[in-house]
Amino acid sequence: MSASPIDTLNAHLERIAGLLERLAPPAPETPDFEAADAFVFVADPASLQPVKRVNRVEIGLLKGIDRNRDMIVANTERFARGLPANNVLLWGARGMGKSSLVKAAQAEVNRRLAGEGNVTPLKLIEIHREDIESLPLLMKMLRDSRHRFVLFCDDLSFDHGDTSYKSLKAVLEGGIEGRPDNVVFYATSNRRHLLPRDMMENERATAINPGEAVEEKVSLSDRFGLWIGFHNCSQDDYLDMVYGYVAALGLDVDPDLLRAEALEWERTRGARSGRVAWQYVQDLAGRLRLGV
């Protein structure tokens, strides 16, 4: 007895459904958030890779940025306690401790809250710039967790023709679901508006309504409630950074020699920053046959 047309149609539909199911990406695994306090998000396939040892410096070694330190630690602690907190954009001069401050703030807040049984450790999740369009998927992975998360994107910026910034805008504030209450977004950038100036000027020159075109792009930065600027440091701040690193490592160096060498080092680099100070101290420790 031959199959009826309806049975044949149902069989075809089942085969098509099976093929579509095999083609669909697998659902992301439920992360084990107890595995670590820091993770790296991998977009394909979606997963969170635990980081057992975070590459960071002690917050007390970050010199010359005291006001910035206090602002981000306060915002992060409020968020960890379940209080209102802002997304944060740390922007400005290279090598002045933007990413170091984010990682140090998480450790400092967890240290402060360690004795409070009703507060879970704050988790730090790094998302790479090229995975920004996968932010909605990451939010879905985190939304129902009892933990609170700082999503961190280092060196965030957008170039010509890159429209992924619209995904970031929607996730931060404008999407129908909105940002989960247990998630806050921190980004570092050398650009205050995350977009190159010539890109914005081109929008102004070619748009029918120049003001609206530029506003569309500038409004990305407005999604960050807290802007923290980092500027080139003074000579005194630079030397304070050097002295702080030397003291932390227990290096025995003549003070006059240390000062002269540190200033010579920054002159050869053509810049003063926390990164330059740390690089000098690494060189010094190596010459003293000490491990850093």
Side-chain angles (χ1 to χ4, degrees):
M1 182 176 178
S2 60
S4 68
I6 294 179
D7 290 339
T8 302
L9 177 60
N10 288 337
H12 285 312
L13 290 175
E14 288 177 4
R15 283 197 294 272
I16 293 172
L19 289 172
L20 291 175
E21 186 174 341
R22 287 195 291 272
L23 289 173
E29 297 182 2
T30 302
D32 178 12
F33 294 122
E34 306 301 332
D37 283 343
F39 300 82
V40 174
F41 175 64
V42 178
D44 188 19
S47 63
L48 289 171
Q49 304 299 319
V51 179
K52 297 297 185 183
R53 183 176 181 274
V54 178
N55 178 28
R56 60 174 148 224
V57 299
E58 293 293 330
I59 199 165
L61 292 179
L62 299 176
K63 305 293 184 180
I65 53 173
D66 294 2
R67 182 172 180 272
N68 293 351
R69 176 200 63 208
D70 293 344
M71 290 171 66
I72 196 167
V73 169
N75 189 74
T76 306
E77 184 171 349
R78 287 195 296 269
F79 173 69
R81 293 183 180 278
L83 300 173
N86 276 307
N87 300 314
V88 181
L89 175 62
L90 302 90
W91 67 276
R94 294 177 175 85
M96 283 302 297
K98 297 186 293 293
S99 60
S100 295
L101 183 54
V102 172
K103 293 180 284 187
Q106 182 227 4
E108 172 64 13
V109 168
N110 278 343
R111 184 192 65 79
R112 294 183 182 185
L113 303 182
E116 301 184 20
N118 60 335
V119 181
T120 59
L122 181 65
K123 306 295 181 178
L124 180 68
I125 298 179
E126 182 175 20
I127 180 170
H128 298 303
R129 159 66 188 84
E130 57 270 21
D131 294 329
I132 285 295
E133 288 185 322
S134 298
L135 261 175
L137 177 58
L138 176 55
M139 295 286 194
K140 186 175 181 180
M141 296 169 66
L142 307 179
R143 186 177 296 274
D144 295 328
S145 174
R146 67 186 182 91
H147 294 284
R148 303 184 73 77
F149 303 92
V150 173
L151 302 191
F152 170 49
C153 186
D154 193 21
D155 199 20
L156 178 64
S157 62
F158 300 92
D159 296 320
H160 297 276
D162 188 347
T163 60
S164 60
Y165 72 91
K166 295 183 179 181
S167 299
L168 178 58
K169 282 176 59 177
V171 166
L172 291 181
E173 295 291 347
I176 190 170
E177 287 188 297
R179 174 169 55 87
D181 292 338
N182 63 336
V183 173
V184 72
F185 191 86
Y186 287 9
T188 70
S189 179
N190 297 321
R191 303 169 180 164
R192 185 168 55 136
H193 291 300
L194 302 176
L195 298 149
R197 181 178 296 276
D198 60 341
M199 181 177 176
M200 295 170 61
E201 290 175 349
N202 182 63
E203 290 287 342
R204 181 180 285 111
T206 59
I208 296 175
N209 190 324
E212 288 184 0
V214 174
E215 181 67 23
E216 162 76 6
K217 297 183 182 301
V218 172
S219 65
L220 173 59
S221 296
D222 292 341
R223 264 58 178 183
F224 295 89
L226 186 59
W227 292 9
I228 302 180
F230 290 71
H231 308 285
N232 292 319
C233 63
S234 66
Q235 178 175 293
D236 288 342
D237 286 338
Y238 167 75
L239 289 173
D240 283 345
M241 295 170 187
V242 170
Y243 299 151
Y245 287 138
V246 166
L249 296 174
L251 304 182
D252 185 13
V253 190
D254 177 76
D256 293 334
L257 177 63
L258 176 63
R259 186 178 190 278
E261 282 195 357
L263 293 178
E264 176 66 20
W265 183 274
E266 61 96 354
R267 281 193 291 268
T268 62
R269 295 297 303 272
R272 295 191 197 108
S273 69
R275 181 179 297 144
V276 171
W278 176 244
Q279 290 168 344
Y280 164 68
V281 173
Q282 283 185 305
D283 180 80
L284 175 64
R287 286 187 279 116
L288 296 174
R289 301 181 183 276
L290 297 174
V292 177

